[in-house]
Amino acid sequence: MLAEALEHLVRGIVDHPDDVVVRDKQLRRGSLLEVRVHPDDLGKVIGRNGRTASAFRTVIGALAGKDGARVDFVDVDRRR
């Protein structure tokens, strides 16, 4: 559920919504949501001084509740 919510939010602000992929990795310390976006959209997702990324983390943290979840943003490297 968290991955789908985050993907929906990220797709709403990027120029290349088809390149957005959110993976939910279960680690010992909890859930890690890895967001991959087009390199041109990385700045939009992170925002000025990280404000947009922080807002995403706040929303996902509120949805996750006591379990919590970490969010990492990664750009898609087309050459690989």
Side-chain angles (χ1 to χ4, degrees):
M1 178 191 103
L2 292 176
E4 291 88 10
L6 182 57
E7 184 173 342
H8 179 73
L9 291 172
V10 172
R11 282 179 182 257
I13 66 165
V14 297
D15 291 332
H16 303 93
D18 294 336
D19 290 340
V20 175
V21 177
V22 178
R23 288 193 207 156
D24 188 2
K25 295 183 178 181
Q26 296 300 320
L27 306 175
R28 283 185 288 154
R29 293 177 34 190
S31 181
L32 170 67
L33 297 174
E34 183 179 85
V35 181
R36 294 186 176 272
V37 297
H38 191 276
D40 295 340
D41 292 329
L42 192 59
K44 285 186 176 187
V45 173
I46 293 173
R48 186 170 295 190
N49 294 325
R51 289 182 185 157
T52 306
S54 179
F56 284 132
R57 290 183 177 113
T58 300
V59 170
I60 295 303
L63 289 173
K66 65 177 182 158
D67 298 332
R70 289 183 23 221
V71 178
D72 284 340
F73 296 97
V74 181
D75 67 335
V76 174
D77 189 2
R78 292 250 182 232
R79 289 171 272 157
R80 291 185 183 177

